[in-house]
Amino acid sequence: MASTPTPVKVTEVYQVTPPESASELTLSLTFFDTLWFKFHPVERIFFYQLTADSSFFYSSIIPQLKHTLSLTLLHFRLLAGNLIWPSDSPKPVILYTSNDAVSFTVAESDADFHLLSGATIHEAADSHHYIPELSVSETKAAIVSFQITLFPNKGFSIGVSSHHAISDGKSIIMFLKAWAHISKHNTSLLPPELTPFLDRTIIQDPEGIDMVYLNDWITLAAKMGTDSNPTSLKLIPITPPSDIKLVRGTFRLSGEDVKKLREKVISAIGEGNYSTFVLTYAYVAINMVKSKGIERNMKLGIGFMADCRSRLNPPVLDNYFGNCVIPHGLQTEAGLVMEEDGFVFLVGKLKETMKKIEKGVMDGAKDILSDYLKAEPDLMETIGVAGGNRFGVYGTDFGWGRPEMVEVTSVDRTGAFSMAETKHGNGVEIGLAMAQNQMEIFSSLFINGLK
């Protein structure tokens, strides 16, 4: 069978360095970082509408983005560095040295920009063309890479691939907002909330959890036969949730929709603080369970990341750059969320979980990764979420307007769904990838459940 031609043509690949004044930097990984040591990169695409011709893209947009990326890397120079594992170090470190650079690919595409950047359901694999490769070998791993793709006379996209062992979602979005701020305002300065705090010594680890996680990953790699070198930086292969062709869909809950969901819960179990995150998660999860046709007696795992910055003792600054999240969640049976009151039931369970997190966000942290790696996926359906409704991703305006769409591309490899605020900030946007027939059922359930 003849292969399908790619809709993307690479026109240039640049290596963008911080300004010469950037000093060398070495940072050790914390236990929050080693938790994600061999996890796959997080991939996002920001789509921007632009009707200017191609000459403006090459003469103005690309030079501006390259220049301001360099200026931004002065503040975030670790991103231009690499993850390495020195022979005299018990664990990998982040090392930035003079002339280290970030890969910056420029490409063109004749694909349908409006299809890709809209809410219309389309093949999930279509997005992969707009994500740059992140270079990872046994001895060195890049930290972030970018691909800027022109859709002539329609718009452009900024694709981002970031190593999860270096930063969580909040941190990488802070960097992108900082880059956008410097580009839009033609400055090299950043406001305090976008100025990264890089000192990882603030993360205390008296129990040595960092090495527990690291050894868990090394054990898994050896067991899988993917890597016999214990100091290899290669990532664990991630296989898609199925070999079925997936489609990508985008759904939105307006502020009024969220209000309806909250009122439904209040009328069933009484007044309480039911956050937008909890209401959205529960509503999306029950519809995913129903649309996938999961057996009622199947175990169901509901997982999400808890931001630990304000929950640690002492707390960590909000602009801390790195990983500072820990997985949390709950287990139940699929049949219980399929009942008529399944939505209310799951909201209640999530609310209970949130209360436990506030009391002890790090409870059981040492065993989180080993428990996850021991889990038998055939015995449990897990629904996770990427992102959140407080990241402000639609605030990344580089000077040519806010994004038309922000997509977490990598959810099609994990089976999770993505969550973000809507473009105008008055609701929640959900992205997910499923088989075509499942997506049709999900769409019907999602829409009809709000009537």
Side-chain angles (χ1 to χ4, degrees), residues 374-415:
K374 291 175 189 173
E376 300 180 66
D378 293 339
L379 302 179
M380 178 181 291
E381 180 74 20
T382 301
I383 295 178
V385 60
N389 58 312
R390 294 183 179 179
F391 281 11
V393 294
Y394 282 94
T396 47
D397 178 357
F398 288 84
W400 302 285
R402 294 160 68 86
E404 286 296 300
M405 168 73 76
V406 179
E407 169 188 296
V408 182
T409 310
S410 44
V411 296
D412 66 359
R413 294 185 174 95
T414 64

Side-chain angles (χ1 to χ4, degrees), residues 154-224:
K154 298 293 191 300
F156 68 96
S157 64
I158 300 178
V160 186
S161 184
S162 57
H163 201 302
H164 208 328
I166 311 304
S167 65
D168 56 24
K170 185 172 183 176
S171 286
I172 201 67
I173 294 302
M174 178 174 66
F175 165 77
L176 291 165
K177 286 182 178 179
W179 181 13
H181 176 90
I182 286 175
S183 178
K184 182 176 182 178
H185 298 285
N186 194 27
T187 180
S188 61
L189 303 177
L190 289 173
E193 68 272 14
L194 296 179
T195 302
F197 182 81
L198 300 177
D199 184 3
R200 278 170 159 73
T201 62
I202 197 171
I203 303 295
Q204 300 177 10
D205 184 15
E207 296 184 62
I209 301 177
D210 57 347
M211 298 306 298
V212 172
Y213 290 159
L214 197 59
N215 289 327
D216 285 339
W217 281 120
I218 292 170
T219 300
L220 176 66
K223 185 184 298 184
M224 294 177 65

Side-chain angles (χ1 to χ4, degrees), residues 21 23 86 92 105 156 193 220 223 227 243 305 346 390 429:
S21 57
S23 57
T105 300
F156 68 96
E193 68 272 14
L220 176 66
K223 185 184 298 184
D227 219 319
D243 57 0
M305 298 300 136
L346 191 51
R390 294 183 179 179
E429 186 170 278

Side-chain angles (χ1 to χ4, degrees), residues 70-78 182 188-190 194-196 198:
S70 176
L71 294 178
T72 311
L73 289 172
L74 181 61
H75 302 275
F76 296 81
R77 61 196 187 279
L78 79 163
I182 286 175
S188 61
L189 303 177
L190 289 173
L194 296 179
T195 302
L198 300 177

Side-chain angles (χ1 to χ4, degrees), residues 8 16 37 45 76 87 91 110 113 133 182 188-189 196 260 263 281 291 296 323 330 341 350 377 383 396 414 420 433:
V8 172
V16 178
F37 172 53
I45 307 177
F76 296 81
S87 58
K91 60 182 178 180
D110 58 5
F113 174 82
E133 181 180 355
I182 286 175
S188 61
L189 303 177
K260 285 181 183 178
E263 289 173 347
Y281 199 146
S291 61
R296 297 180 66 88
N323 283 290
L330 61 94
D341 63 347
L350 281 166
I383 295 178
T396 47
T414 64

Side-chain angles (χ1 to χ4, degrees), residues 330 345-357:
L330 61 94
F345 166 79
L346 191 51
V347 168
K349 295 286 285 185
L350 281 166
K351 197 170 187 304
E352 289 175 11
T353 303
M354 294 298 181
K355 287 182 179 178
K356 292 178 182 177
I357 291 172

Side-chain angles (χ1 to χ4, degrees), residues 250-316:
T250 301
F251 300 85
R252 296 183 178 100
L253 291 172
S254 67
E256 189 60 32
D257 291 332
V258 174
K259 182 181 178 182
K260 285 181 183 178
L261 293 176
R262 184 173 287 112
E263 289 173 347
K264 182 175 182 179
V265 175
I266 290 173
S267 66
I269 57 178
E271 292 286 345
N273 180 23
Y274 306 107
S275 70
T276 298
F277 177 85
V278 164
L279 294 168
T280 301
Y281 199 146
Y283 188 66
V284 173
I286 64 165
N287 289 327
M288 287 181 72
V289 170
K290 292 176 181 177
S291 61
K292 288 185 175 185
I294 299 170
E295 294 183 9
R296 297 180 66 88
N297 62 353
M298 187 82 164
K299 289 182 180 179
L300 177 66
I302 301 293
F304 56 91
M305 298 300 136
D307 188 346
C308 300
R309 287 168 175 81
S310 63
R311 296 180 169 111
L312 295 178
N313 185 20
V316 175

